[in-house]
Amino acid sequence: MGYKAKFKIWRGDNGDGELVDYAVEVNEGEVVLDVLHRVQAEQANDLAIRWNCKAGKCGSCSAEVNGKPRLMCMTRMNTFEETDTITVTPLRAFPVIRDLVTDVSFNYEKAREVPAFSPPVGLKPGEFRMEQDDVQRSQEFRKCIECFLCQNTCHAVRDHEENKQYFAGPRVLMRVAELDMHPLDTLDRKKTAQDDLGLGYCNITKCCTEVCPEHIKITDNALIPLKERVADVKYDPVRWLGSKIGVRKSDNA
Amino acid sequence: MEEIERYRFDVVVIGAGGAGLRAAVEARANGKSAAILSKSLFGKAHTVMAEGGIAASMGNVNDRDNWQVHFGDTMRGGKFLNHYRMAELHAKEAPERVWELEAWGALFDRTKDGKISQRNFGGHEYPRLAHVGDRTGLEMIRTLQQRIVGLQQEDKKATGDYEAGLKVFAECSVTKIFMTGEGDDRRVSGVLAYWRPSGKFVLFESEAVILATGGVGKSFKVTSNSWEYTGDGHAMALESGGSLVNMEFLQFHPTGMVWPPSVKGILVTESVRGDGGVLTNSEGRRFMFDYIPAVFKDKYATTEEEADRWYTDPDNNKRPPELLPRDEVARAINSEVKAGRGSPHGGVFLDVSKRLPADVIKAKLPSMWHQFKELADVDITLEPMEVGPTCHYVMGGVEVDPDTQAAVGVTGLFAAGEVGGGLHGSNRLGGNSLSDLLVFGRRAGLYAAEYVDAAKAAGKTASVSEADLQEAIDWALAPFTNENGESPYAIQFDLQDTMNALVGIIRTASEVQEALTKIESLKVRMGNMKVVGGREYNPGWHLALDLPKQLLVSQCIALAALTREESRGGHTRDDFPEMSSEWRKVNLIERLDGDSVAIVRQPLPLMTAELATLFDTSELGKYMTQEEIDSLVQRTS
C-alpha cells in the first residue's frame, strides 16, 4: 500500500459549509480516522474531529463515511478501492458544531428522563445475588458505547426533526429494556417508555441494529420485547384492572 | 474583554473518568455542589479503555483472599516503593467500593452461587478482579455516569433543577488553577476553562479543586493512551505550587498491538494471559520461564507442566510466569525482540487459540476478538496475536496526603486516580487502577467536602481577581497572535519521538540527558507556535494549550529518570541495572522553581511494624536495608 487517496470532507458550521477536497497519503493497515488525522496535522490544523480511544471502545468518532453511519476508527481503508473518492460528513440527525463534530446533547437529555436503577429497599451492597443467565440479557445492552449511530440512523429521528421532542430513540429505549430485564430492579418503566419516551414511534425496521458497531441486537432483543411488555399491560384486561385497583405495582413508584 | 460565563461551586472536579465521577458523587453526598469538567463528552473518559477488571479481595472465588494478601501483592508489585498507607487503605476499602457499584446498577459477571465473579491477573495471588468480560472500564464509567444522572433526578425532584447539586461540563477544558491569599493563607480559588465547541471561556470559583485528570502517555509515540492524556493535572499541580513524586516510573504494558502500524500501542488486555494465553518467541518457546527474577523465584512455576496445572488447581501449583508483574513481562519481551527472537512485526506471540475453545474465547474476551478481527484481520480463536510493550500508565504523580488525597503544598487542591502518586510504588498491578479510582476518588470527594466546610466556616470564600482572570485568558489566546510560527502538531510529534526513543522502557544517562536537551529546544519552538482558524472547535488551538503541560511533565519524567540511579519497576537503567536498597528509601520530589524544575530526595515513609509482619523477614531483606529491617523488628517486639 502507500498511495494518495481522494477525500471529500465536510467543512463548516451550523450555518453553512461545503465538501472540501483533500489528497492525502494512506499507509498499510490504516483506518479513516488515521487519514483524517494526517489531514489535520499536515493540511488543515483546525479540522474539527471528535475522537478518543481509536479502538472502538469509546464511541466518540461517529460520522458518515460515504453516507453510512460509522465509527471512523473502525473503518479500514482497505475496504475501499484506491481509486475511490471517500466522502466524510457529520452525523445528519444532530446539529453541526463544526466540520465533523455534532451537538449530541439530545441523547444526554433524553437519557436523563429514564428513571434510574432502583434495587430493593433494604438490600445492602455486598448482598446482591444474581445468576449469570439472568444478567446476560442486560449485559448485552450494557456493551453500548454510546456512539449514537443508532440514534442518528433511526428514521423516526433522522427524517423527522419534529419527532425529537416525543421520541427518545433506540439507545435510550434500550436502556429502559436493560433496566426492565435487570434481575434486581424494582421499578416499572413501561408507562415512561410508552408515554414519555415515545416507544410507539419505533416501527422495528432494525436500522439501529444494522449500524451498531457493538453488534447489539437492539430491535430483536431490546425494543421488541419492551413493546411486548408494554402491550401486555395496555391490552391485558386483568392487568389493566389490577393496575386500577392497586394490586400491581404502579409506574415509577 | 469578552463576556465571561461564570459559576460558583463548592468543589470543581477536573476530569470525568472513574476517579472524578466517584469524587463528585461523594462531594454531593456530603452536601456540596460540584462541577465536573471533562475534556470529552460525558462517559468517554479514558476509564472506558480499562479491560481486565477491578481488584478487590472479596474472596468470592478463593476464600483465602483478604485485604492483607491484596496489600502484600500490591507492595510486591510496586517493589516496596509504594506509600504503605495508601496501599493499606486501597486493599481495605476496595471490596466496599465494588459492591457499591453493583448497588448502583453495575452488572458484573457472576460466580455459580450468584456472587461477583473474580479473575486471575498478573501479580495477584488469588482470583481477585471483578469484571465484565473484557470491558470492565466501560461498565464502571457507565455505572458512575448513570449514578450521577440518578442523583440529578433526585435533585430535580427536590429542587426542580437537574443540575442543582451536580453539573457536568462536557468538552470543557481547564487551562489554569487560580490561587488567592499569601503565605499560610494561600489557597485554591477556582479554575479557568474553555468550551471546546465555542472556544469561549468559563470561570469557576470554588473553594476546592479535585484533579482527576489521568495520565501522561500522549507524550510517547507508542501508547495505549488517548489524546486527552497530556498530564494536565500534573502540570497544573506544579504551577499551583504542588509537587510530583517519583515521575520516573512509567508502566509500559507488555502487550500492546504492534501491527498494523496505525494501531501500534492499542492495548491487549492482560486477561488474555489471566485466562490462559501464553507468550512465545519466534522459536515457539515460552520464554517467560527464562525471566523469573530472584525476588519472585518461589512464587512462580518453573515448568510448563506445573504452570498449566495451576489454572485448574491453584492451591497446589505455582502460577505461570506469564502472570509476573507487568514491568517484568515488558522487559522480557523487549529482550526477546532485541535478541532477534521476535515476531514478524517486531513483537512476540500471544496465543490463546491453542489454549481455549473458540466459544470460550469469544465469551471471555469479546472485545479482543472484535479488536483483532476488525483492525488487524486476525482471528484470535485461530491464530496468535503479535504484541509488544506500549506506554500505558504513570505510577508517579501529584504528591498527596495518603488519607485525604490533599495535594502537598497547595491548600484546597486534591488529586485522585492516575494523576495522584504513591499507591503503586514503582509498578502498578493490573486491576489496581480501577480500584484506585474508586477508593481514592471517594476519599478526595469526602475530604474536599470537609475542607470546604472548614474554609467557609473560617470566612474563606473563594474569589478570583479580574486581573488574574485576564492574565489567564491572554495566555490562552496568545497562540493566535503568531503570524509565522510552527504547527503545534509538528512539535508534539517530535516530543513523542524523543520520549519514546530516549526515555522509554530501557534508559541510560546519556540518552535521558539528550532528551532533556531536546525538550529545552522544543520549549523554544513552542514559544513560536502558530494556530490557524478560529476559536470554535479548533483542535490545533486545543493542542497548543495542552503542549506546554506535556513538555513540563515530560521534563519532570526525564529529570527523575536521570536522577534515580537504579532499576526498579517501571524505571530500568541500562547503566544501573540493579535494584538498590538505598534508593528504595528515596522518593524523588519535583517542584517548580521559577521556570525551572527542582528535584529533591525525600525519605519514603517506612511501613508500620504491624504491616511489616505480613511479610517474611527474608522477603523484606530482598528490598530493604538491614538497618530498616532491624528497626521494624525492634518496633514489633
Side-chain angles (χ1 to χ4, degrees), chain B residues 252-508:
Chain B
F252 292 84
H253 193 290
T255 61
M257 293 176 81
V258 296
W259 192 90
S262 69
V263 300
K264 192 163 179 164
I266 291 181
L267 192 64
V268 179
T269 175
E270 188 167 321
S271 318
V272 176
R273 284 170 284 137
D275 290 344
V278 293
L279 291 163
T280 56
N281 61 19
S282 59
E283 295 162 1
R285 181 175 166 73
R286 272 177 78 174
F287 58 84
M288 280 311 300
F289 288 97
D290 307 333
Y291 293 92
I292 305 171
V295 289
F296 292 122
K297 268 280 184 269
D298 50 348
K299 294 221 170 263
Y300 287 83
T302 48
T303 65
E304 291 192 25
E305 293 70 29
E306 180 177 15
D308 286 350
R309 284 197 303 269
W310 174 83
Y311 290 103
T312 47
D313 183 11
D315 291 345
N316 297 305
N317 292 286
K318 284 177 285 190
R319 55 195 14 248
E322 278 88 358
L323 292 178
L324 275 159
R326 289 175 174 172
D327 53 326
E328 308 290 353
V329 183
R331 271 193 302 272
I333 293 175
N334 197 65
S335 303
E336 285 297 302
V337 174
K338 266 199 172 159
R341 295 188 292 270
S343 67
H345 298 101
V348 294
F349 297 106
L350 172 60
D351 195 0
V352 72
S353 69
K354 295 186 201 62
R355 313 272 301 174
L356 295 174
D359 57 328
V360 175
I361 296 173
K362 284 190 199 171
K364 285 192 162 183
L365 303 164
S367 310
M368 286 304 105
W369 185 76
H370 191 222
Q371 180 175 311
F372 273 88
K373 194 83 193 114
E374 303 218 359
L375 294 175
D377 266 336
V378 167
D379 183 343
I380 67 167
T381 66
L382 300 174
E383 50 189 322
M385 301 160 241
E386 281 186 69
V387 296
T390 178
C391 181
H392 184 56
Y393 190 88
V394 59
M395 273 70 71
V398 177
E399 189 190 9
V400 291
D401 175 85
D403 285 76
T404 65
Q405 301 291 291
V408 173
V410 195
T411 307
L413 186 66
F414 297 78
E418 189 171 353
V419 69
L423 168 62
H424 306 293
S426 69
N427 173 58
R428 175 177 68 80
L429 293 184
N432 272 359
S433 177
L434 292 185
S435 40
D436 172 8
L437 306 184
L438 295 172
V439 168
F440 294 105
R442 175 187 155 274
R443 283 184 164 267
L446 172 65
Y447 290 103
E450 271 191 13
Y451 165 77
V452 171
D453 283 336
K456 285 189 175 172
K460 294 180 178 178
T461 323
S463 85
V464 175
S465 77
E466 293 304 306
D468 286 353
L469 174 62
Q470 190 59 52
E471 190 187 339
I473 289 174
D474 292 346
W475 178 86
L477 292 175
F480 283 109
T481 55
N482 273 337
E483 296 271 315
N484 300 309
E486 189 177 5
S487 151
Y489 290 92
I491 301 172
Q492 195 191 36
F493 282 141
D494 287 350
L495 174 67
Q496 290 165 339
D497 270 340
T498 300
M499 293 304 282
N500 221 76
L502 304 174
V503 200
I505 183 165
I506 310 287
R507 301 158 175 173
T508 65

Side-chain angles (χ1 to χ4, degrees), chain B residues 196-214:
Chain B
R196 299 172 78 83
S198 65
K200 294 198 169 128
F201 291 103
V202 199
L203 171 68
F204 294 85
E205 288 176 311
S206 70
E207 283 71 32
V209 170
I210 298 175
L211 299 171
T213 52

Side-chain angles (χ1 to χ4, degrees), chain A residues 28-31 34 37 40-41 44-60 70 73-74 76 78 97-99 101-102 104 108-109 111-117 119 123-133 135 138-140 142-148 171 175 178 182-183 213-215 252, chain B residues 40-46 48-49 51 96 99-100 102-115 132 134-135 138-139 142-143 145-146 149-150 152-153 162-163 171 197 218 226-228 259-263 266-267 367-368 370-371 373-377 487-489 493 530 532-534 536-540:
Chain A
E28 187 175 18
E30 286 185 336
V31 293
D34 291 315
H37 277 155
Q40 193 182 53
N45 281 183
D46 62 338
L47 172 63
I49 308 170
R50 183 184 275 139
W51 71 288
N52 268 41
C53 75
K54 215 175 99 59
K57 292 193 170 68
C58 76
S60 298
R70 301 277 310 178
C73 73
M74 297 304 273
R76 296 188 64 183
N78 66 5
I97 293 173
R98 233 185 115 243
D99 301 342
V101 176
T102 54
V104 293
Y108 291 96
E109 283 156 20
R112 207 145 67 176
E113 292 172 18
V114 180
F117 173 60
L123 184 64
K124 295 195 183 68
E127 293 176 350
F128 287 48
R129 295 291 176 274
M130 296 178 269
E131 297 301 315
Q132 183 62 38
D133 281 347
V135 300
S138 294
Q139 278 184 332
E140 181 192 4
R142 291 184 73 80
K143 285 184 349 195
C144 171
I145 56 174
E146 299 202 330
C147 63
F148 308 127
R171 160 58 190 142
R175 165 75 172 148
E178 173 212 314
H182 190 302
E214 289 294 310
H215 309 294
N252 303 342
Chain B
S40 294
L41 292 175
F42 192 25
K44 306 294 183 195
H46 215 291
V48 303
M49 296 290 287
E51 292 162 350
E96 275 173 65
W99 287 323
E100 183 176 76
E102 186 169 63
W104 296 344
L107 279 175
F108 295 104
D109 289 344
R110 319 305 299 179
T111 61
K112 288 212 165 54
D113 54 354
K115 295 179 182 172
V132 188
D134 53 4
R135 56 158 191 86
L138 173 66
E139 186 66 18
R142 201 64 82 232
T143 301
Q145 176 186 347
Q146 288 165 347
V149 167
Q152 289 180 326
Q153 290 170 348
Y162 279 120
E163 292 170 336
E171 300 198 307
K218 204 56 196 169
S226 84
W227 65 268
E228 294 178 290
W259 192 90
S262 69
V263 300
I266 291 181
L267 192 64
S367 310
M368 286 304 105
H370 191 222
Q371 180 175 311
K373 194 83 193 114
E374 303 218 359
L375 294 175
D377 266 336
S487 151
Y489 290 92
F493 282 141
K530 176 186 161 190
V532 298
E536 292 84 23
Y537 218 108
N538 184 343

